[in-house]
Amino acid sequence: MLETYIGLDLGTSGLRALLVDADGVALGSAEAACSVSHPQAGWAEQVPADWIAACETAFAELRAAQPEGFAAVRGIAAAGHMHGAVLLDEQDRVLRPCILWNDTRSHAEAADLDAIAEVRALSGNIVFPGFTAPKLKWVAAHEPDVFAQVAKVLLPKDYLNLWLCGGHVGDMSDAAGTSWLDVAKRDWSDALLGHGNMRRDQMPELVEGSAKAGLIRPELAKSLGLQQGVVIAGGGGDNAVAACGVGALQEGDGFVSLGTSGVLLAARDRFAPMPDTAVHSFCHAVPDRWYQMGVILAATDSLNWLSRQVGQRPADLAGALPDQIDAPGRVRFLPYLSGERTPHNDSAVRGAFLNLDISGGPADLTRAVMEGVAFALRDSLEALKATGARLDRFLAIGGGMQSPYWIELCATVLDLPLDVPARGEFGAAMGAARLAQCAATGADPEEIMTRPEIARTVMPRAEWVGAYEDAYRAWRAAYPAIRDLG
């Protein structure tokens, strides 16, 4: 008898729904776009109703394309972009647009919270401006009428859970990015909530990402064409769920992702925070596991930015470079277009080109952008090393890794082998489907969340490792200079 599961991946630019069978084979997928508004410089917001509309669109497409598989759905789970603040009143009405992860308006409030020693000690992390707790402090100061009505604060994927099962349910991997969670105990901290002028009753119930959050609302199941009793899983934050999608659960497992942002993630079998490194130390989406990651805010977004400036598509810019790297370029790029997280925790710094020459052209700028992003990932690697994480090799995922030049550059700058998965489904949507399967069947996550088949391994170019080491050291020295200039 056919049994299927749906994984939802709510990203900043849109939602993806993936339908898989019990063996993890993808049967179909659908996508729907979501827009972001920027009312002021440094602000980023979305309307939560747009996420629901995107879900309805994706479900309808899956149902039309895969009627038999859609009718056999037993479980659904959602992954979502982290840190967003969805504010609800007593009737679950949205009070204002969701303030997103890359919104930096609450930098002063973040600094105030971070100055409280107990906050880092309990949360295990620096309070970054993008985190949820400082957002609520900002709302209290600037929108007091809204703050007074807040009955519940949900993260983006928790709002999808509310729509799906009717309950206020979240998970630990997502909640770890709020600065309200005792990450070691995997529970809300009354002390942290108090520092943010919040209460436990304003928080969702927490379950593990692979556990049952509830059952689909009967009326919703009927309208979508799903069977009654579909299990809704806790789900998780996007990077934790992406780790489930590539089987990164154990100490030594990890991935490097070149997407809109850049992520270097290492799975941990224990909680080992080191906030001073600006590495995130979060709960994993499965029980008794944690993970640490360094995050840069503009990875492929840096190449997208360059493409807008020179009027060429990102793929054309990347395609103009050779398949193999050679010596580092003289032009340097610092990819701080929206500030930076790891290792600087600096929302005010901005990007820069250095050493521009009249003889240069788009190819020089493209290479500089790719090198700058790779060097920023190296910053995250050094920060992760300081925590004691085991870092032998990484899976290479994300759109930027499709560039032969960029992936070899990253392998050489990191001086680590990068394993490229074979074509197929992996990442957050697959990870969410796996969480749904665990919640619906009680399966052990370690049996379901296996590593993908590896198509090839990209090794560091040994003859250039030393040259890129020198270039990285010179590049790294530029940060304090441009910070002080700003």
Side-chain angles (χ1 to χ4, degrees), residues 101-102 128 239 256-265 278-280 293-302 333-345 369-381 383 401 406 410 414 475:
W101 61 275
N102 54 348
F128 291 89
N239 286 301
V256 54
S257 173
L258 275 184
T260 302
S261 59
V263 174
L264 207 66
L265 182 146
V279 163
H280 299 327
M293 66 178 178
V295 176
I296 67 172
L297 293 178
T300 59
D301 230 14
S302 292
F333 175 71
L334 290 94
Y336 309 137
L337 300 175
S338 301
E340 193 56 292
R341 285 201 183 175
T342 311
H344 303 303
N345 183 29
V369 164
M370 290 186 173
E371 287 183 5
V373 170
F375 291 149
L377 289 171
R378 172 66 183 276
D379 270 349
S380 287
L381 177 66
M401 292 300 184
W406 214 346
C410 287
L414 299 175
W475 174 90

Side-chain angles (χ1 to χ4, degrees), residues 181-272:
L181 192 81
D182 184 325
V183 178
K185 294 181 178 179
R186 305 173 81 90
D187 191 17
W188 298 119
S189 163
D190 292 317
L192 290 174
L193 288 165
H195 288 308
N197 299 320
M198 301 300 294
R199 307 182 309 272
R200 185 178 284 258
D201 65 275
Q202 293 173 304
M203 301 295 111
E205 174 192 353
L206 293 178
V207 300
E208 295 288 353
S210 54
K212 183 172 77 172
L215 301 178
I216 193 166
R217 293 185 292 118
E219 65 275 21
L220 180 62
K222 183 177 180 180
S223 68
L224 294 176
L226 291 166
Q227 60 185 314
Q228 299 293 324
V230 171
V231 172
I232 308 304
D238 50 5
N239 286 301
V241 181
C244 294
V246 297
L249 305 184
Q250 307 287 348
E251 188 86 25
D253 295 338
F255 66 77
V256 54
S257 173
L258 275 184
T260 302
S261 59
V263 174
L264 207 66
L265 182 146
R268 304 301 305 267
D269 57 14
R270 61 189 179 91
F271 182 51

Side-chain angles (χ1 to χ4, degrees), residues 132-150:
T132 319
K135 291 179 170 70
L136 269 292
K137 294 273 285 183
W138 183 94
V139 171
H142 297 274
E143 299 176 355
D145 292 345
V146 171
F147 186 78
Q149 300 177 67
V150 175

Side-chain angles (χ1 to χ4, degrees), residues 77-79 157 161 170-174 207-211 213 233-237 241 285 435:
K157 75 95 177 53
N161 285 348
D171 89 299
M172 294 77 163
S173 71
D174 216 0
V207 300
E208 295 288 353
S210 54
V241 181
L435 291 173

Side-chain angles (χ1 to χ4, degrees), residues 3 52 55 96 156 164 179 224 256 292 294 296 316 363 392 412 436 445 477:
E3 295 179 354
I52 304 305
C55 272
R96 67 167 334 280
L164 288 165
S179 293
L224 294 176
V256 54
Q292 290 178 305
I296 67 172
D316 294 335
D392 302 323
T412 303

Side-chain angles (χ1 to χ4, degrees), residues 298-458:
T300 59
D301 230 14
S302 292
L303 191 62
N304 294 337
W305 171 85
L306 179 63
S307 79
R308 294 194 297 272
Q309 311 315 309
V310 301
Q312 296 184 38
R313 296 186 313 138
D316 294 335
L317 290 172
L321 298 181
D323 287 346
Q324 289 191 323
I325 64 171
D326 51 18
R330 175 162 170 71
V331 179
R332 293 180 190 148
F333 175 71
L334 290 94
Y336 309 137
L337 300 175
S338 301
E340 193 56 292
R341 285 201 183 175
T342 311
H344 303 303
N345 183 29
D346 190 339
S347 63
V349 70
R350 287 299 180 265
F353 278 110
L354 303 176
N355 302 327
L356 293 174
D357 188 273
I358 198 168
S359 64
D364 300 285
L365 300 180
T366 302
R367 182 166 67 172
V369 164
M370 290 186 173
E371 287 183 5
V373 170
F375 291 149
L377 289 171
R378 172 66 183 276
D379 270 349
S380 287
L381 177 66
E382 295 303 315
L384 280 171
K385 285 179 178 178
T387 72
R390 210 178 88 208
L391 307 164
D392 302 323
R393 62 197 306 128
F394 285 102
L395 285 168
I397 63 176
M401 292 300 184
Q402 302 305 309
S403 162
Y405 186 94
W406 214 346
I407 189 172
E408 187 177 72
L409 177 65
C410 287
T412 303
V413 169
L414 299 175
D415 196 16
L416 288 171
L418 298 183
D419 294 324
V420 181
R423 289 191 178 275
E425 289 291 346
F426 52 87
M430 176 58 80
R434 289 173 163 184
L435 291 173
Q437 185 172 4
C438 290
T441 66
D444 184 341
E446 293 187 13
E447 294 180 2
I448 301 296
M449 298 172 188
T450 55
R451 289 169 61 86
E453 177 187 352
I454 301 303
R456 61 192 176 93
T457 297
V458 178

